[in-house]
Amino acid sequence: MIKEKLQNNSFILYLSVILLLLFRLLLIADIPLLDKTEARYAEIARIMWETKQWIVPQIDYGVPFMAKPPMSTWLSALSYFVFGINEFAARFPSYLLNVLILIVTGKIVKKTGASFYLPGFILLTMPEFLIHTGVVSTDTAFAFCTSMVMIAFWKTMNSPEKTYWNYLFSVFMGLGLLAKGPLVLMLTLPPIFLWCILDLNRFKEVFSKFSILVGILIMAIIAVPWYYLAEQKAPGFLDYFIVGEHYKRFVESGWKGDLYGKPKTQPIGMIWAFMLAFGFPWIQIVAYKLWKNRKTIMKNSWVSFLVMWLFWTPIFFSLSKNILHTYMLPITVPIMFLMVYWWDDFKSKKTLFRVAAFFPIVVFIFYFAVFATGKIDYKMNSDKYILEKLKAKTNNEEIPIYYWKEKNYSGQFYTNGKAQLIKEASQFDSVFKTNKKIILITLKKSESEIPKAYKDQLELTEENYKTAIYISK
């Protein structure tokens, strides 16, 4: 009976999706928050939850975070109310949004005769999508919104009359403005426009099937109030966010205006390498099928729509040097849809299953070979473990915690924001005079900058590959 089921492709898809979702759920609860990005956004949400300041996110108490809109922060902060302050709560909204995408796309392809679980299998075996099914960042919420905008557009255009998808298009566009800002307009409207150019009659359908003025009003009602209130509470927000984050970040290599980190300078066109690496193996297969069918793909409205959706994003980011691999997350869905479209062309499904399983199996082996044996503590890019060991050694004694030169966001999160900062050596005198005992945490790259007179008063207690913890003698 079991052997017969394992020979059934539908059962393999179902089993694979369920196991991958359960495994990913385990990871979001078990792996500590990682520096810098993930721990940073989790800490921003924790401060929002603690201070109840819902308009302007704060990267530290009283320090506004103007680099991104608050949608993902709101979701994590609300999750803290339900699950408490922990890794699982911070990550669960990201996990849930990707599960919703699997459900929506599963229902769409099921109507074409394909398995409901096929989109889930393809997406969850794609590195970028699997990684972001449970990562604290703005990218998952943004990719969810852009995907739903494009799906809503297609659904509206292929309905005989006006449908609720027409209004959902505007709803998700407005939510996209709250997820990552005007970038949602830049990544959705151009491919839609280019697709309409292929058949000019589509422009007429847009005006007949979309309630454009009502849609703009819906989008404005959702997004504009927050932008207005954010500028009122943090003057200069609009200039920094719109001009800095949406123009200078992409056109100025090594942009020096970034208030929250260093720009990620990459070679021009690096987005294509990211796409090939983090879209494996499906983007390679899709590229092959597109090339093989290059003479006919623009004649098929669905395929041409997906091609515009897929390739516009890497084209848009091609000239930018300040990019991350996460920028390809919004195109994982069109890659999946194209793969579903050609799924029946592949006779040997077993080969597809084996190749697709490569990345999840690597992650699975790594987790059980390293995490489960407890050997990861030293190499983990997080302060969680060393802080937990420190608590055990000090019997949970309330000792002031200071960071030297710069804080780790994971340290801020796992100390509930109690960690303070020593920026200059001159501050040590007052710190030692004020406190009978202190804990000093330092990045190893800055350890040598601690004056010897003060370091002699400290004893190394815990460390990992990048961080050392000292406690005063």
Side-chain angles (χ1 to χ4, degrees), residues 303-323:
V303 174
S304 60
F305 177 73
L306 294 174
V307 168
M308 297 300 174
W309 180 2
L310 167 59
F311 286 106
W312 170 252
T313 294
I315 289 172
F316 177 77
F317 286 118
S318 285
L319 296 179
S320 175
K321 292 185 177 182
N322 299 327
I323 63 170

Side-chain angles (χ1 to χ4, degrees), residues 91-131:
R91 292 168 171 150
F92 185 68
S94 168
Y95 178 88
L96 187 60
L97 287 175
N98 273 4
V99 170
L100 288 175
I101 281 291
L102 301 187
I103 294 172
V104 171
T105 56
K107 288 185 175 182
I108 290 173
V109 305
K110 189 177 180 180
K111 291 181 179 179
T112 67
S115 169
F116 171 83
Y117 297 97
L118 182 54
F121 176 77
I122 295 171
L123 287 169
L124 289 170
T125 52
M126 203 180 305
E128 193 66 41
F129 192 90
L130 181 62
I131 290 169

